[in-house]
């Protein structure tokens, strides 16, 4: 069953925020996957989980994406409006910017997925060239079209060092600054991509979602996909950590590490020795 939570307009264009399934959860849960960090995988698993549990689910971000509304420009009627007045499993988010204005996000369970930004920006480059979808219209469509044009006309190092992936670096630094929030669970892509069973069990336990062996097996059968090699034309291009070593120059790596030092240190992508050496340069 589909329930309309909000009807509104953005820049003169009407849109609806809807929820699927009838049963509201005891508390809202928020699922955030940083762009190019396994976010699509996380969100598809959440869909299948809530479908099986018949728990209300609401994808604010992708709804707004299709309407051409950038996630960081969500109007107050949506966030905190919708999330404050409706208990649901909220997913699809690629950043936490507007969510920090939402009391339920600050208090209720939050599942976050991050990735080594060097790999994330490598993935972004190839995605923008070939596989990233476009909304039909709106500012989001314009932004992605601009990035696709740049990715097609630049090599990967020029693309990275021109700042085209800085929004991912900003989001990671932003997350690293809010780890003090209660009820927050962070997973690293590198730790879960080959251990999806343990990852799903862990975040379901954290979010108090019932998960029996039969449901877990069904989810794994559908989503435990590991490509044999690298295929830049597919959304799942490749999954092995460290792919940036094959594609990025030393200058691009340094650019990312300079811009994202805080998050990379907090999440264990830069050790203290590396940070001290770079500080001396």
């Amino acid at each position: 069953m589909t329930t309309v939570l909000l009807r509104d307009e953005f820049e003169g264009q009407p849109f609806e925020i809807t929820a699927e399934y009838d049963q509201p959860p005891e508390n809202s849960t928020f699922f955030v996957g940083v762009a190019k960090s396994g976010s699509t995988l996380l969100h598809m698993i959440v869909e299948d989980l809530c479908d099986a549990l018949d728990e209300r689910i609401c994808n604010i971000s992708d709804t707004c994406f299709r309407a051409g509304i950038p996630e960081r420009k969500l109007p107050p009627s949506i966030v905190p409006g919708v999330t404050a007045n409706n208990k649901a499993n909220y997913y699809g988010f690629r950043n936490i910017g507007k969510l920090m204005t939402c009391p339920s996000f600050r208090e209720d369970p939050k599942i976050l997925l991050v990735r080594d930004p060097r790999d994330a920006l490598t993935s972004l480059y190839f995605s923008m060239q070939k596989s990233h979808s476009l909304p039909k219209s709106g500012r989001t469509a314009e932004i992605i079209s601009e990035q696709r044009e740049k990715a097609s006309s630049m090599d990967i190092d020029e693309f990275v060092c021109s700042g085209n992936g800085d929004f991912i670096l900003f989001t990671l630094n932003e997350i690293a600054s809010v780890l003090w929030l209660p009820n927050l669970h962070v997973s690293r892509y590198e730790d879960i991509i080959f251990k999806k069973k343990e990852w799903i069990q862990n975040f379901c336990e954290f979010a108090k979602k019932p998960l029996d062996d039969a449901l877990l097996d069904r989810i794994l059968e559908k989503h435990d996909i590991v490509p044999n090699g690298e295929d830049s034309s597919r959304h799942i291009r490749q999954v092995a950590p460290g792919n940036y070593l094959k594609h990025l120059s030393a200058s691009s790596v340094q650019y990312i590490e300079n811009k994202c030092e805080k998050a990379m240190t907090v999440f264990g992508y830069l050790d203290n020795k590396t940070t001290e050496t770079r500080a001396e340069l």
Side-chain angles (χ1 to χ4, degrees):
M1 177 179 176
T2 300
T3 302
V4 177
L5 303 182
L6 174 73
R7 288 188 174 94
D8 204 345
E9 288 188 358
F10 183 81
E11 296 182 349
Q13 297 298 315
F15 67 92
E16 291 183 342
I17 301 297
T18 62
E20 302 296 329
Y21 315 125
D22 292 331
Q23 183 64 38
E26 183 177 347
N27 295 295
S28 291
T29 301
F30 294 82
F31 298 87
V32 180
V34 177
K36 312 316 300 177
S37 302
S39 55
T40 299
L41 170 66
L42 171 63
H43 300 148
M44 289 192 300
I45 289 173
V46 171
E47 287 177 346
D48 288 346
L49 179 65
C50 291
D51 181 18
L53 300 177
D54 194 32
E55 276 197 4
R56 179 168 288 178
I57 189 170
C58 179
N59 191 332
I60 287 175
S61 182
D62 285 2
T63 299
C64 292
F65 175 84
R66 289 190 293 271
I69 307 172
E71 195 167 310
R72 290 190 180 275
K73 293 185 178 295
L74 296 177
S77 60
I78 302 177
V79 175
V82 168
T83 57
N85 297 316
N86 301 277
K87 290 183 178 179
N89 295 286
Y90 291 102
Y91 74 116
F93 295 102
R94 268 74 177 184
N95 65 69
I96 61 169
K98 287 286 186 174
L99 289 173
M100 289 300 290
T101 68
C102 174
S104 58
F105 174 79
R106 296 169 69 94
E107 297 165 7
D108 290 334
K110 302 163 273 296
I111 314 294
L112 279 64
L113 180 61
V114 303
R115 187 183 189 182
D116 185 327
R118 296 164 295 197
D119 278 338
L121 265 63
T122 300
S123 178
L124 175 69
Y125 175 74
F126 290 108
S127 173
M128 284 300 170
Q129 277 192 325
K130 303 200 174 181
S131 66
H132 202 297
S133 61
L134 277 169
K136 293 180 181 179
S137 61
R139 180 55 185 151
T140 307
E142 295 172 5
I143 292 170
I144 295 176
S145 294
E146 290 167 4
Q147 284 216 321
R148 177 160 291 172
E149 184 176 343
K150 290 176 182 177
S152 299
S153 63
M154 299 176 178
D155 65 30
I156 189 169
D157 293 307
E158 186 180 3
F159 181 83
V160 168
C161 293
S162 296
N164 292 290
D166 282 7
F167 68 97
I168 292 176
L169 309 183
F170 179 85
T171 297
L172 286 166
N173 283 332
E174 188 176 49
I175 291 173
S177 298
V178 299
L179 297 182
W180 53 268
L181 286 171
N183 293 320
L184 184 147
H185 177 90
V186 179
S187 295
R188 302 193 324 164
Y189 173 94
E190 295 76 17
D191 298 331
I192 64 92
I193 195 62
F194 298 120
K195 296 180 179 179
K196 296 186 184 76
K197 179 178 180 179
E198 294 85 349
W199 173 51
I200 296 168
Q201 288 172 322
N202 287 340
F203 80 65
C204 283
E205 181 180 0
F206 175 81
K208 296 181 173 59
K209 305 294 182 192
L211 179 71
D212 59 32
D213 290 341
L215 175 56
L216 178 58
D217 288 343
R218 291 202 306 272
I219 291 174
L220 288 171
E221 183 179 4
K222 184 175 180 180
H223 297 296
D224 197 4
I225 302 170
V226 178
N228 292 325
E230 185 171 337
D231 183 349
S232 61
S233 66
R234 299 182 60 188
H235 178 76
I236 304 178
R237 181 180 59 89
Q238 72 87 46
V239 300
N243 186 245
Y244 77 90
L245 293 166
K246 178 179 176 181
H247 296 286
L248 295 182
S249 68
S251 60
S252 291
V253 170
Q254 185 171 12
Y255 175 90
I256 294 168
E257 292 176 354
N258 286 339
K259 286 267 187 175
C260 200
E261 180 177 333
K262 178 176 183 177
M264 292 184 74
T265 302
V266 168
F267 296 125
Y269 298 124
L270 282 181
D271 58 32
N272 290 333
K273 183 177 180 181
T274 301
T275 305
E276 292 169 2
T277 300
R278 289 172 55 255
E280 294 172 358
L281 297 176

